[in-house]
Amino acid sequence: MTVSEETSPAQTSPEQPSPAASSPVQTAPTTSASSEESAAEVAAPGTKCGSTEGSNTVFVFGGPVSCDTALGVMNEFEPLMTGHVGGLSGATELIQNTYTCQESSQQSRDTGTYAVCKGEQGEHFELRTGMDVLPGPVANTEEYFTAEGGTAFSYAFNIAGGSSVFACSVNGGALVECETLQRGHEYGPTWKVSMDAESAAVPSEGFRNDPTLAMLYAKPLDVGTTINFQAVSCQPETTDSIRCINPNGNGFVISPDGVSPV
C-alpha cells in the first residue's frame, strides 16, 4: 500500500559653448510595469489573508483582489452580520459600492464559511474558520449537500472526468471518508480512508460488489478545485487522486493505487 570606457568628457571649442543641459524628461510608468505592480497585489486563490477585528479569518479564492482590500471589506461587513440569532435572516450588504457580501446560512456553517463577498470582476473572498485550506479556486460547498437515500453523511463529491467508482463523503464538516476501487478491478477490492478534525488518516481495505452511497450521490469536483468544510479541506489532484487535510496538519492522498498519509 502506498500508503524545484570610462570616456573623457567631450572637449568643445571655446568659441562653441557646450550645449545647454536639457531638463530630465519625466515619463509615466509603462503599462506593463503598472500591470506588474497591480498583479503583485492580487492574492492568489486560496490565500489566507489574516484575521478580522472579530477574530475570524479571511481567504481569497479568486479574482483581482488584494488581501488588504478583502480584509477591509470584511471588517466593514462583519459587524452587520446577524448570526441568525432569534430567527434573524443572514445579512446581505453592498460594501464600498463594489462588493456584495452575504452571510452564510446556518446549514453552511458545516462548510466553515461565515460570509462570502463577490465583485463584478470575479472577486471572491470568504470569512472562514482559521484552518489552512488547500490553495486553489474553491467550489460552492453547499452544492454538494445531500440527504438522499438515508445517507449518514452530509456532503459527497467525486472527480470530474474521473472514475465513477471513487467518492468522498463528509459528515458534520469534520469527518471525511473516501473509497475507491483498487486499480485493475471492475468491482471488488477497494482502498478506504477516514480522517476527522484532529486525528491522522486511517487507511484500510474493503470489498464491495456495489457502489457505495457516496458514489451514487456524489457530485463532480474539478481537478485543482478545493472544497472546504469546517475542519476538512479536499482537492482532486488528478482525475484519479484526491488530497485532504485537517487543522492539525494531518492529511492523505487516496487513489486506485492506495492511500498515502501526508
Side-chain angles (χ1 to χ4, degrees), residues 103-254:
E103 186 173 358
S104 299
S105 66
Q106 289 177 302
Q107 173 187 305
S108 71
R109 294 303 174 98
D110 269 357
T111 73
T113 302
Y114 300 148
V116 177
C117 294
K118 295 186 176 182
E120 295 181 352
Q121 299 183 62
E123 300 96 326
H124 176 182
F125 46 99
E126 297 184 2
L127 188 69
R128 290 188 49 81
T129 57
M131 76 162 285
D132 292 342
V133 300
L134 292 168
V138 66
N140 180 355
T141 307
E142 292 188 24
E143 294 180 358
Y144 294 79
F145 178 79
T146 179
E148 299 180 81
T151 59
F153 49 85
S154 304
Y155 304 86
F157 57 95
N158 55 18
I159 310 172
S163 171
S164 61
V165 288
F166 192 165
C168 296
S169 60
V170 175
N171 189 31
L175 174 66
V176 59
E177 297 179 334
C178 300
E179 185 170 5
T180 183
L181 289 178
Q182 295 182 20
R183 197 178 300 282
H185 293 272
E186 185 176 353
Y187 61 87
T190 65
W191 298 119
K192 302 171 67 175
V193 63
S194 63
M195 185 178 69
D196 61 22
E198 299 178 353
S199 305
V202 179
S204 61
E205 292 186 71
F207 187 94
R208 299 199 64 86
N209 288 319
D210 300 300
T212 66
L213 284 175
M215 292 173 184
L216 290 174
Y217 297 118
K219 296 181 180 180
L221 183 64
D222 289 338
V223 172
T225 297
T226 298
I227 186 166
N228 297 316
F229 299 91
Q230 187 78 24
V232 179
S233 181
C234 297
Q235 181 187 88
E237 294 191 315
T238 68
T239 54
D240 66 358
S241 67
I242 290 177
R243 175 185 296 266
C244 295
I245 59 172
N246 70 9
N248 280 3
N250 299 307
F252 64 83
V253 174
I254 183 173

Side-chain angles (χ1 to χ4, degrees), residues 25-31 33-34:
V25 178
Q26 300 298 322
T27 59
T30 63
T31 301
S34 298

Side-chain angles (χ1 to χ4, degrees), residues 12 16-22:
T12 58
Q16 184 179 359
S18 299
S22 58

